[in-house]
Amino acid sequence: MPKLILVRHGQSQWNLENRFTGWWDVDLTPQGVAEAKAAGALLKAKGVLPTVGFTSLQTRAIRTLNLALEEAGRLWIPVTKDWRLNERHYGGLTGLDKQETRDRHGEEQVHIWRRSFDVPPPVLEAGSTYDLASDPRYAGIAIPQTESLKLTIERVLPYWESAILPVLASGETVIISAHGNSLRALVKHLSGISDEAITDLEIPTGQPIIYDFDDNMVPGERYYLKDA
Protein backbone atom coordinates (compact mmCIF):
# COMPACT_ATOMS: atom_id res chain seq x y z
CA MET A 1 0.00 0.00 0.00
CA PRO A 2 1.74 3.22 -1.14
CA LYS A 3 2.05 5.81 1.59
CA LEU A 4 2.48 9.58 1.26
CA ILE A 5 3.95 11.73 4.03
CA LEU A 6 3.43 15.51 3.93
CA VAL A 7 5.44 17.74 6.26
CA ARG A 8 5.25 21.51 6.46
CA HIS A 9 8.66 22.96 7.32
CA GLY A 10 9.39 23.78 10.95
CA GLN A 11 8.95 27.31 12.26
CA SER A 12 10.99 29.81 10.22
CA GLN A 13 12.46 33.10 11.37
CA TRP A 14 9.78 35.04 9.51
CA ASN A 15 7.02 32.80 10.90
CA LEU A 16 8.29 33.91 14.28
CA GLU A 17 8.44 37.56 13.21
CA ASN A 18 4.95 37.36 11.63
CA ARG A 19 6.17 38.48 8.19
CA PHE A 20 5.01 37.45 4.72
CA THR A 21 7.72 35.10 3.43
CA GLY A 22 6.66 33.49 0.15
CA TRP A 23 9.65 32.72 -2.07
CA TRP A 24 12.15 34.63 0.05
CA ASP A 25 14.71 32.27 1.57
CA VAL A 26 14.46 32.24 5.36
CA ASP A 27 16.03 29.70 7.71
CA LEU A 28 14.51 27.73 10.57
CA THR A 29 14.42 29.00 14.15
CA PRO A 30 15.73 26.74 16.95
CA GLN A 31 12.08 25.77 17.51
CA GLY A 32 11.78 24.93 13.80
CA VAL A 33 14.85 22.68 14.04
CA ALA A 34 13.30 20.93 17.04
CA GLU A 35 10.00 20.48 15.15
CA ALA A 36 11.80 18.93 12.17
CA LYS A 37 13.75 16.54 14.39
CA ALA A 38 10.58 15.60 16.26
CA ALA A 39 8.88 14.79 12.95
CA GLY A 40 11.72 12.44 12.06
CA ALA A 41 11.67 10.81 15.48
CA LEU A 42 7.93 10.23 15.09
CA LEU A 43 8.42 8.63 11.67
CA LYS A 44 10.99 6.27 13.17
CA ALA A 45 8.87 5.49 16.25
CA LYS A 46 5.81 4.69 14.11
CA GLY A 47 7.80 2.68 11.58
CA VAL A 48 6.76 4.96 8.71
CA LEU A 49 10.08 5.15 6.89
CA PRO A 50 10.28 7.13 3.65
CA THR A 51 12.11 5.68 0.67
CA VAL A 52 11.98 8.73 -1.65
CA GLY A 53 11.86 12.45 -0.85
CA PHE A 54 10.73 15.62 -2.60
CA THR A 55 11.14 19.20 -1.45
CA SER A 56 11.23 22.79 -2.69
CA LEU A 57 14.26 24.97 -3.46
CA GLN A 58 13.83 26.83 -0.16
CA THR A 59 16.19 26.35 2.77
CA ARG A 60 13.51 25.98 5.43
CA ALA A 61 11.89 23.02 3.64
CA ILE A 62 15.21 21.43 2.63
CA ARG A 63 16.59 21.61 6.17
CA THR A 64 13.35 20.28 7.62
CA LEU A 65 13.57 17.28 5.31
CA ASN A 66 17.24 16.66 6.08
CA LEU A 67 16.75 16.96 9.84
CA ALA A 68 13.71 14.66 9.78
CA LEU A 69 15.47 12.09 7.60
CA GLU A 70 18.56 12.16 9.79
CA GLU A 71 16.46 11.56 12.89
CA ALA A 72 14.66 8.69 11.13
CA GLY A 73 17.93 7.17 9.90
CA ARG A 74 16.98 7.81 6.25
CA LEU A 75 19.40 10.52 5.08
CA TRP A 76 20.53 8.16 2.33
CA ILE A 77 17.25 8.12 0.38
CA PRO A 78 17.09 9.91 -3.00
CA VAL A 79 15.67 13.44 -2.80
CA THR A 80 14.46 15.71 -5.62
CA LYS A 81 14.28 19.49 -5.16
CA ASP A 82 11.95 21.49 -7.41
CA TRP A 83 10.71 25.08 -7.44
CA ARG A 84 7.16 23.95 -8.10
CA LEU A 85 6.94 22.86 -4.46
CA ASN A 86 7.92 26.37 -3.32
CA GLU A 87 5.64 28.39 -1.09
CA ARG A 88 3.07 30.66 -2.70
CA HIS A 89 4.70 33.88 -3.95
CA TYR A 90 3.37 36.77 -1.84
CA GLY A 91 4.36 39.42 -4.36
CA GLY A 92 4.58 42.94 -2.98
CA LEU A 93 3.67 41.74 0.51
CA THR A 94 6.97 39.82 0.79
CA GLY A 95 8.91 40.88 3.88
CA LEU A 96 6.11 42.97 5.36
CA ASP A 97 4.98 42.56 8.95
CA LYS A 98 1.44 41.17 8.85
CA GLN A 99 0.06 43.49 11.50
CA GLU A 100 1.63 46.56 9.88
CA THR A 101 0.07 45.45 6.60
CA ARG A 102 -3.36 45.22 8.27
CA ASP A 103 -2.89 48.68 9.74
CA ARG A 104 -1.98 50.10 6.34
CA HIS A 105 -4.44 48.29 4.05
CA GLY A 106 -7.20 47.23 6.45
CA GLU A 107 -8.09 43.87 7.97
CA GLU A 108 -10.54 42.97 5.21
CA GLN A 109 -8.13 43.61 2.33
CA VAL A 110 -5.31 41.64 3.98
CA HIS A 111 -7.70 38.77 4.71
CA ILE A 112 -8.63 38.71 1.01
CA TRP A 113 -4.98 38.62 -0.04
CA ARG A 114 -4.14 35.90 2.47
CA ARG A 115 -7.20 33.71 2.31
CA SER A 116 -9.12 34.20 -0.93
CA PHE A 117 -8.76 31.39 -3.44
CA ASP A 118 -8.01 33.42 -6.56
CA VAL A 119 -7.12 37.03 -5.60
CA PRO A 120 -3.33 37.50 -5.61
CA PRO A 121 -1.50 40.18 -3.59
CA PRO A 122 0.01 43.20 -5.39
CA VAL A 123 2.90 42.30 -7.69
CA LEU A 124 6.51 42.51 -6.54
CA GLU A 125 8.25 45.37 -8.28
CA ALA A 126 11.29 44.47 -10.37
CA GLY A 127 14.55 45.48 -8.71
CA SER A 128 12.99 45.74 -5.24
CA THR A 129 14.63 44.27 -2.13
CA TYR A 130 12.99 40.86 -2.51
CA ASP A 131 13.34 40.50 -6.28
CA LEU A 132 14.82 37.03 -6.94
CA ALA A 133 15.87 37.65 -10.57
CA SER A 134 19.57 37.25 -9.68
CA ASP A 135 19.12 34.18 -7.45
CA PRO A 136 21.02 31.33 -9.18
CA ARG A 137 18.57 28.66 -8.03
CA TYR A 138 15.90 30.23 -10.27
CA ALA A 139 18.03 30.67 -13.38
CA GLY A 140 15.86 29.99 -16.41
CA ILE A 141 12.63 29.94 -14.38
CA ALA A 142 9.83 32.43 -14.99
CA ILE A 143 9.61 33.66 -11.40
CA PRO A 144 6.08 34.74 -10.47
CA GLN A 145 5.50 38.37 -9.52
CA THR A 146 2.67 37.27 -7.21
CA GLU A 147 0.44 34.22 -6.72
CA SER A 148 -3.00 33.38 -5.40
CA LEU A 149 -3.65 29.89 -4.02
CA LYS A 150 -5.27 29.09 -7.38
CA LEU A 151 -2.06 30.00 -9.23
CA THR A 152 -0.01 27.99 -6.73
CA ILE A 153 -2.19 24.95 -7.39
CA GLU A 154 -1.67 25.42 -11.13
CA ARG A 155 2.06 24.75 -10.74
CA VAL A 156 1.96 22.21 -7.90
CA LEU A 157 -0.59 19.76 -9.33
CA PRO A 158 1.08 19.18 -12.74
CA TYR A 159 4.32 18.45 -10.88
CA TRP A 160 2.47 16.07 -8.57
CA GLU A 161 0.94 14.25 -11.54
CA SER A 162 4.10 14.03 -13.63
CA ALA A 163 6.89 13.59 -11.07
CA ILE A 164 5.58 12.41 -7.70
CA LEU A 165 2.51 10.26 -8.35
CA PRO A 166 4.37 7.79 -10.63
CA VAL A 167 6.99 7.25 -7.91
CA LEU A 168 4.27 6.70 -5.33
CA ALA A 169 2.44 4.32 -7.69
CA SER A 170 5.59 2.21 -8.01
CA GLY A 171 5.21 1.32 -4.33
CA GLU A 172 7.57 3.82 -2.71
CA THR A 173 6.88 5.57 0.58
CA VAL A 174 7.18 9.22 -0.44
CA ILE A 175 7.86 12.18 1.86
CA ILE A 176 7.24 15.76 0.69
CA SER A 177 8.70 18.54 2.79
CA ALA A 178 7.17 21.79 1.62
CA HIS A 179 5.15 24.84 2.66
CA GLY A 180 1.74 25.84 3.97
CA ASN A 181 0.29 26.73 0.57
CA SER A 182 2.02 24.19 -1.67
CA LEU A 183 0.86 21.49 0.75
CA ARG A 184 -2.61 23.06 0.91
CA ALA A 185 -2.71 22.64 -2.88
CA LEU A 186 -1.99 18.92 -2.56
CA VAL A 187 -4.40 18.37 0.33
CA LYS A 188 -7.16 20.17 -1.61
CA HIS A 189 -6.64 17.78 -4.51
CA LEU A 190 -6.21 14.56 -2.52
CA SER A 191 -9.04 15.20 -0.06
CA GLY A 192 -11.45 16.80 -2.55
CA ILE A 193 -11.79 20.06 -0.62
CA SER A 194 -13.77 22.89 -2.22
CA ASP A 195 -12.28 26.23 -3.31
CA GLU A 196 -14.15 27.92 -0.47
CA ALA A 197 -13.24 25.46 2.30
CA ILE A 198 -9.54 25.12 1.46
CA THR A 199 -8.82 28.73 2.44
CA ASP A 200 -9.66 27.89 6.06
CA LEU A 201 -7.45 24.79 6.24
CA GLU A 202 -4.43 25.28 8.50
CA ILE A 203 -1.43 22.99 8.12
CA PRO A 204 0.71 23.05 11.26
CA THR A 205 4.51 23.14 11.09
CA GLY A 206 6.43 19.93 11.64
CA GLN A 207 3.43 17.58 11.93
CA PRO A 208 3.53 14.67 9.44
CA ILE A 209 0.25 14.15 7.56
CA ILE A 210 -0.32 10.69 6.07
CA TYR A 211 -2.29 9.45 3.07
CA ASP A 212 -2.57 5.71 2.42
CA PHE A 213 -3.37 4.80 -1.19
CA ASP A 214 -5.18 1.68 -2.37
CA ASP A 215 -4.20 -0.50 -5.34
CA ASN A 216 -6.03 1.89 -7.69
CA MET A 217 -4.05 4.84 -6.28
CA VAL A 218 -7.12 6.29 -4.59
CA PRO A 219 -6.11 8.06 -1.37
CA GLY A 220 -7.83 7.31 1.91
CA GLU A 221 -8.68 9.89 4.56
CA ARG A 222 -5.71 11.99 5.62
CA TYR A 223 -4.58 11.74 9.22
CA TYR A 224 -1.82 13.04 11.45
CA LEU A 225 0.84 10.46 12.21
CA LYS A 226 0.79 11.44 15.89
CA ASP A 227 -2.82 10.21 16.02
CA ALA A 228 -2.13 6.85 14.35
Side-chain angles (χ1 to χ4, degrees), residues 103-122:
D103 294 343
R104 185 183 307 171
H105 297 285
E107 182 78 39
E108 184 178 352
Q109 180 62 67
V110 173
H111 183 76
I112 290 170
W113 286 333
R114 290 190 69 195
R115 290 303 188 190
S116 73
F117 179 67
D118 56 3
V119 179

Side-chain angles (χ1 to χ4, degrees), residues 132-176:
L132 293 165
S134 62
D135 191 320
R137 84 190 82 185
Y138 301 121
I141 293 170
I143 301 170
Q145 295 176 302
T146 184
E147 287 180 311
S148 60
L149 178 57
K150 182 174 185 286
L151 291 171
T152 306
I153 290 169
E154 288 173 5
R155 64 168 158 85
V156 171
L157 285 192
Y159 184 70
W160 159 259
E161 297 282 354
S162 65
I164 303 176
L165 188 57
V167 174
L168 194 65
S170 73
E172 303 286 357
T173 298
V174 172
I175 184 169
I176 302 175

Side-chain angles (χ1 to χ4, degrees), residues 13-113:
Q13 188 59 41
W14 279 15
N15 290 150
L16 180 62
E17 295 174 14
N18 203 32
R19 299 168 74 183
F20 290 101
T21 314
W23 278 39
W24 194 248
D25 206 36
V26 177
D27 206 349
L28 299 175
T29 62
Q31 178 181 320
V33 169
E35 289 172 353
K37 289 181 176 180
L42 183 62
L43 292 172
K44 185 175 183 179
K46 297 284 190 177
V48 179
L49 298 176
T51 57
V52 178
F54 291 87
T55 189
S56 70
L57 296 185
Q58 299 184 270
T59 298
R60 56 195 185 272
I62 296 168
R63 285 198 69 208
T64 294
L65 181 59
N66 288 346
L67 289 163
L69 291 178
E70 182 174 16
E71 204 70 23
R74 309 296 278 189
L75 262 179
W76 50 270
I77 71 170
V79 171
T80 301
K81 304 179 183 77
D82 196 281
W83 67 272
R84 281 161 287 207
L85 293 175
N86 275 19
E87 177 58 292
R88 169 190 173 188
H89 197 303
Y90 272 104
L93 300 183
T94 304
L96 296 180
D97 175 276
K98 291 177 183 176
Q99 188 54 53
E100 288 178 1
T101 309
R102 290 187 195 98
D103 294 343
R104 185 183 307 171
H105 297 285
E107 182 78 39
E108 184 178 352
Q109 180 62 67
V110 173
H111 183 76
I112 290 170
W113 286 333

